[in-house]
C-alpha cells in the first residue's frame, strides 16, 4: 500500500510538469491549430537562461522571475518573426517551421552551453516532505508551483478582459475581430504565455532530469500525450491529462511485470490510445468541427 | 444631413469571382437604410466589404476616414458594429460574457455594467439566461444576443445582416421596435439587410435595391415600397 501511495504521489509530481507542458501545447494549438514540436526545446533554452543567470550570481527566485519575463518576450518574438508570416501557409510548411525551430534552438543551446550534463538547483531542497518518506520536498514544491500557476491562469482567463479577449480570439477569430479584438496580437500573447509556462516546467524538472540540451525530449512526449488524452481543445483537460499520464507512467513501471523503466513509456502511451479509440476528442475535448 | 458613410465604385472579390460590380451609396447620419435584393445579390458581401472582411477595391469613407485596407478590428473601433449573417455568437461562452465581449474595446467600466442592464431590459430572455452557455440558446434568442452584443459597443453605425432570421413574427416586430428606438433615441445610424422587406421598408428612411452586385434602384423607403417592380419581387403583392 505504501508503495502504491508512493508511486501515485511521484506520478502526481512529474504529472504536474507534464500538465504544464500540455497546457503550453494546448495554448498554442488553440491559437493557431498546430502542435508546437519545439515547445520542449524552448523550455530547455529558458532553463539554461535561468541557470546562466544563477551562474552570474542572481539568486534562485530572481533568476526564476527574470526567466519567466524573458521567455514571455522570446515567445512573442518567435511568433512575430517566424509563425506570423506562416499563418496562411499550408500545414506542412508550418510543420517544417516547427522542426526548424526545434533544431535551431537545440543546436544553439549546445553551442553556447555544450552538451555535458549540468546540476540544477532546487529551491525546495530534497528532504522527506513533512518527515514522510512518501514524497520529497522538491516533488511537493513542483506540485505546489504548478497548482499556483493553474490558479493564476484560471483567474486570468475567467476574470480579466485580456483573458476574455484571448478566449474569444481562439474560439472564433472572425467574431472576435468584429468586436474589435486584435486577434493577431492575441496569438502572439498566447505564444508568450506558452513559452513562460514551458519555462516553469523546465526549471522545475531540471533538478530531476539534469540540465542538458536534450532534457525535455521525453517530457514533451508525455506532455503531448497528456494534451491529446485530455483533449487538445481543453486547457482543463490538458492539466488532468498531465496528472493522469504521470500516475499511469509510474504505476505501469511498478506493477506491470517486466515493464520497468524501459517499457513504461510505451505502456502509458498504449493506454492513452485505448482512451482515444473510445473518445476521439480526448477526455474533455470538444469534437473538432472544421469550418469551411 | 451630411453623409456619414460614402461608398463609391465598390468592387469585391471571392478569389477570382467578382461579387460586387461598382456599388455606390451614402448613409446619412442618424438615418435607417435598408438593402433589398434576391438571394445571392451581394447584400452580405456589401456589409462584409464595409468591415474589410472580403477583398475589395474602390472607396469607402466613414466620417472622412478611408476604410478599405484598414483591419477589421480597427474599423470596429471607429464605432461600426456588425451583426453578421449567422450571428457569430461565441457559443462556448456565457450570455453575459458575450455581452462583455461586445464592449471589450470600451474602458468605461461603469458604463458597460449599466449597458448590460439596459440590454437585459430590451431583451428580458437574456437576463433569465445570463450564466447559460450561449450555444444552448434557441436560434431566436441567439439572434437577440447578437444584436445586444453589437449594441454593447455603443456604435455610431450599425450593420445588421438579416436580424429577423429565425425569429417568430411577433418577436420580429419587437426587435424592429427596439432598433427604431435605438436609431431615434441613441442616434445610431443603421444599415439593415432584411428578408422581411415590408417591415424593413416601414421603418427605414431610405432603401437601395441590389441585383447581381449592382444597385439598380434607390429612393426613400416609401417610394421604393410603392414601386411596382419592388412590390412584385420583394413584397409579393
Ligand atoms: N465565400 C464565398 N466564396 C465564393 N463566392 C461567394 C462567397 N460568399 C458569397 N459568394 C458569392 O457572392 C455572391 C453574393 O453573395 P452574398 O452572400 O453577398 O449574397 P446575399 O445577397 O447576402 O444573399 P442571401 O440573401 O442569400 O444572404 C453570390 O453569388 C455568392 O455565391
Ligand atoms: Mg446574405
Amino acid at each position: 500500500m505504501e508503495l502504491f501511495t508512493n508511486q501515485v504521489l511521484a506520478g502526481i509530481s512529474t504529472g504536474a510538469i507534464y500538465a504544464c507542458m500540455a497546457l503550453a501545447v494546448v495554448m498554442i494549438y488553440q491559437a493557431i491549430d498546430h502542435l508546437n514540436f519545439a515547445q520542449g526545446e524552448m523550455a530547455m533554452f529558458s532553463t539554461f537562461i535561468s541557470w546562466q543567470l544563477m551562474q552570474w550570481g542572481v539568486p534562485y527566485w530572481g533568476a526564476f522571475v527574470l526567466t519567466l519575463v524573458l521567455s514571455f518576450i522570446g515567445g512573442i518574438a518567435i511568433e512575430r518573426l517566424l509563425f506570423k508570416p506562416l499563418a496562411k501557409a499550408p500545414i506542412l510548411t508550418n510543420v517544417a517551421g516547427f522542426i526548424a525551430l526545434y533544431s535551431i534552438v537545440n543546436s544553439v543551446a549546445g553551442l553556447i552551453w555544450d552538451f555535458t550534463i549540468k546540476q540544477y538547483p532546487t529551491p525546495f531542497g530534497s528532504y522527506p516532505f513533512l518527515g514522510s518518506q512518501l514524497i520529497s520536498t522538491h516533488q511537493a514544491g513542483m506540485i505546489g508551483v504548478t497548482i499556483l500557476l493553474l490558479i493564476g491562469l484560471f483567474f486570468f482567463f475567467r476574470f480579466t478582459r485580456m483573458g476574455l479577449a484571448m478566449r474569444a480570439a481562439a474560439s472564433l477569430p472572425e467574431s472576435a475581430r468584429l468586436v474589435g479584438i486584435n486577434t493577431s496580437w492575441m496569438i502572439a500573447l498566447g505564444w508568450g504565455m506558452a513559452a513562460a509556462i514551458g519555462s516553469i516546467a523546465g526549471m522545475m524538472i531540471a533538478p530531476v532530469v539534469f540540465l542538458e540540451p536534450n532534457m525535455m525530449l521525453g517530457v514533451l512526449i508525455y506532455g503531448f500525450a497528456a494534451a491529446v488524452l485530455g483533449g487538445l481543445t481543453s486547457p482543463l483537460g490538458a492539466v488532468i491529462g498531465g496528472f493522469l499520464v504521470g500516475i499511469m507512467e509510474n504505476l505501469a513501471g511498478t506493477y506491470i511485470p517486466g515493464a520497468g523503466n524501459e517499457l513504461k513509456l510505451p505502456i502509458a502511451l498504449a493506454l492513452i490510445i485505448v482512451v482515444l479509440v473510445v473518445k476521439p476528442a480526448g477526455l474533455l475535448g470538444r469534437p473538432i468541427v472544421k469550418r469551411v | 444631413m451630411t453623409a456619414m458613410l460614402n461608398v463609391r465604385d465598390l468592387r469585391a472579390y471571392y478569389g477570382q469571382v467578382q461579387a460586387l460590380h461598382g456599388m455606390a451609396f451614402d448613409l446619412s447620419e442618424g438615418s435607417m437604410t435598408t438593402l433589398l435584393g434576391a438571394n445571392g445579390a451581394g447584400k452580405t458581401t456589401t456589409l462584409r466589404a464595409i468591415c474589410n472582411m472580403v477583398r475589395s477595391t474602390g472607396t469607402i469613407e466613414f466620417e472622412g476616414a478611408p476604410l478599405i485596407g484598414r483591419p477589421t478590428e480597427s474599423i470596429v473601433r471607429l464605432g461600426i458594429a456588425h451583426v453578421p449573417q449567422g450571428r457569430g455568437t461565441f457559443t462556448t461562452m456565457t450570455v453575459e460574457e458575450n455581452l462583455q465581449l461586445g464592449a471589450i474595446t470600451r474602458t468605461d467600466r461603469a458604463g458597460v455594467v449599466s449597458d448590460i442592464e439596459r440590454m437585459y431590459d430590451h431583451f428580458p430572455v437574456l437576463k433569465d439566461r445570463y450564466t447559460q452557455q450561449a450555444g444552448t440558446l434557441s436560434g431566436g434568442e441567439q439572434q437577440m444576443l447578437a444584436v445586444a452584443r453589437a449594441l454593447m459597443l455603443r456604435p455610431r453605425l450599425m450593420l445588421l445582416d438579416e436580424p429577423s432570421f429565425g425569429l417568430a413574427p411577433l418577436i420580429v416586430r419587437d426587435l424592429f421596435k427596439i432598433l427604431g428606438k435605438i436609431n431615434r433615441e441613441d442616434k445610431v445610424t443603421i444599415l439593415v439587410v432584411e428578408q422581411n422587406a415590408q417591415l424593413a421598408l416601414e421603418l427605414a428612411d431610405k432603401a437601395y435595391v441590389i441585383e447581381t452586385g449592382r444597385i439598380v434602384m434607390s429612393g426613400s423607403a416609401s417610394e421604393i415600397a410603392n414601386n411596382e417592380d419592388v412590390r412584385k419581387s420583394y413584397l409579393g403583392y
Side-chain angles (χ1 to χ4, degrees):
Chain A
M1 193 57 213
E2 183 156 322
L3 178 67
F4 178 79
T5 318
N6 183 284
Q7 289 302 317
V8 169
L9 284 174
I12 290 176
S13 69
T14 40
I17 304 305
Y18 304 155
C20 288
M21 289 312 289
L23 204 55
V25 165
V26 164
M27 211 150 209
I28 289 184
Y29 183 80
Q30 294 266 53
I32 62 173
D33 276 0
H34 294 294
L35 289 175
N36 180 6
F37 303 120
Q39 195 76 58
E41 302 314 287
M42 287 163 58
M44 171 276 293
F45 202 87
S46 298
T47 311
F48 264 111
I49 290 176
S50 68
W51 178 83
Q52 186 65 65
L53 289 169
M54 285 186 257
Q55 295 297 304
W56 287 336
V58 182
Y60 183 92
W61 290 110
F64 183 92
V65 172
L66 223 73
T67 301
L68 278 190
V69 174
L70 291 174
S71 305
F72 180 77
I73 296 170
I76 289 179
I78 290 173
E79 195 276 338
R80 288 287 101 170
L81 295 175
L82 186 55
F83 289 97
K84 182 172 180 251
L86 292 184
K88 293 211 167 76
I91 293 181
L92 279 179
T93 315
N94 274 276
V95 170
F98 285 112
I99 293 173
L101 181 62
Y102 177 101
S103 46
I104 291 170
V105 174
N106 188 284
S107 345
V108 170
L111 197 70
I112 305 176
W113 292 292
D114 72 54
F115 285 86
T116 55
I117 288 176
K118 294 175 177 60
Q119 293 274 354
Y120 191 91
T122 165
F124 309 109
S126 335
Y127 319 105
F129 181 59
L130 301 175
S132 136
Q133 297 300 325
L134 290 176
I135 182 171
S136 75
T137 46
H138 179 71
Q139 287 174 313
M142 291 200 307
I143 299 175
V145 166
T146 304
I147 289 174
L148 280 181
L149 170 71
L150 295 178
I151 292 174
L153 285 174
F154 175 82
F155 274 89
F156 174 76
F157 282 111
R158 191 50 81 209
F159 298 115
T160 69
R161 271 162 44 123
M162 189 63 89
L164 183 63
M166 280 181 74
R167 280 194 290 143
S171 73
L172 271 184
E174 184 158 282
S175 288
R177 279 192 288 277
L178 278 183
V179 294
I181 295 169
N182 187 331
T183 50
S184 165
W185 267 105
M186 295 298 124
I187 291 174
L189 213 57
W191 271 83
M193 290 177 67
I197 294 169
S199 77
I200 294 180
M203 289 186 281
M204 287 291 121
I205 199 75
V208 182
V209 299
F210 300 109
L211 181 60
E212 48 104 7
N214 296 314
M215 64 179 263
M216 292 304 281
L217 188 59
V219 178
L220 183 65
I221 291 177
Y222 283 112
F224 272 149
V228 172
L229 176 65
L232 276 169
T233 51
S234 162
L236 178 65
V239 169
I240 293 174
F243 285 111
L244 285 179
V245 169
I247 294 169
M248 279 196 274
E249 175 203 11
N250 271 278
L251 293 183
T254 313
Y255 288 104
I256 297 180
N261 257 333
E262 290 73 32
L263 282 181
K264 64 184 188 179
L265 175 62
I267 289 173
L269 293 180
L271 274 175
I272 290 160
I273 290 172
V274 171
V275 172
L276 290 182
V277 167
V278 182
K279 235 177 154 294
L283 293 174
L284 294 184
R286 274 175 284 122
I288 295 161
V289 185
K290 278 275 170 216
R291 268 169 295 135
V292 276
Chain B
M1 278 196 285
T2 53
M4 175 183 244
L5 190 84
N6 286 299
V7 177
R8 293 290 173 272
D9 195 30
L10 177 62
R11 292 155 202 274
Y13 306 83
Y14 294 102
Q16 296 300 309
V17 183
Q18 185 168 359
L20 300 182
H21 303 266
M23 302 245 301
F25 61 92
D26 296 317
L27 302 181
S28 42
E29 184 156 8
S31 69
M32 170 140 44
T33 305
T34 182
L35 280 185
L36 303 178
N39 292 127
K43 306 180 296 292
T44 297
T45 306
T46 307
L47 299 197
R48 291 176 66 88
I50 295 173
C51 289
N52 195 10
M53 294 163 77
V54 53
R55 187 167 64 85
S56 24
T57 63
T59 53
I60 304 177
E61 279 190 358
F62 176 70
E63 299 185 321
L67 299 190
I68 287 198
R70 188 187 284 258
T72 300
E73 61 268 19
S74 116
I75 291 173
V76 173
R77 282 162 187 261
L78 294 174
I80 301 181
H82 186 161
V83 181
Q85 190 165 14
R87 313 181 194 108
T89 307
F90 296 96
T91 51
T92 57
M93 301 197 196
T94 66
V95 168
E96 185 133 324
E97 284 174 333
N98 268 271
L99 294 179
Q100 283 165 349
L101 277 167
I104 197 103
T105 56
R106 288 171 54 183
T107 47
D108 55 324
R109 274 164 193 266
V112 171
V113 172
S114 75
D115 276 3
I116 289 183
E117 286 309 315
R118 227 159 54 98
M119 292 310 138
Y120 289 155
D121 287 344
H122 283 324
F123 307 100
V125 282
L126 298 182
K127 181 166 190 151
D128 302 336
R129 313 217 184 305
Y130 76 103
T131 56
Q132 201 169 314
Q133 268 208 0
T136 65
L137 297 183
S138 78
E141 288 162 350
Q142 286 191 38
Q143 194 66 62
M144 294 180 218
L145 179 60
V147 172
R149 190 185 66 217
L151 287 171
M152 288 301 297
L153 180 72
R154 288 222 182 152
R156 317 239 6 258
L157 169 63
M158 198 164 165
L159 313 173
L160 295 134
D161 201 342
E162 303 196 18
S164 75
F165 185 82
L167 295 181
L170 265 177
I171 311 272
V172 174
R173 289 250 154 221
D174 282 351
L175 178 68
F176 271 80
K177 246 185 239 155
I178 292 167
L179 291 179
K181 205 169 144 202
I182 288 157
N183 174 239
R184 283 187 312 276
E185 293 175 8
D186 301 342
K187 308 269 182 290
V188 178
T189 309
I190 293 181
L191 175 61
V192 58
V193 167
E194 188 44 65
Q195 291 296 340
N196 189 334
Q198 187 170 5
L199 190 55
L201 288 170
E202 261 175 50
L203 275 146
D205 310 304
K206 199 161 182 196
Y208 291 95
V209 180
I210 310 183
E211 257 170 41
T212 53
R214 291 180 184 84
I215 288 182
V216 291
M217 211 183 294
S218 68
S220 74
S222 53
E223 275 166 28
I224 298 283
N226 289 322
N227 181 288
E228 187 116 4
D229 292 342
V230 171
R231 280 198 354 217
K232 277 199 194 114
S233 314
Y234 301 104
L235 301 174
Y237 56 84

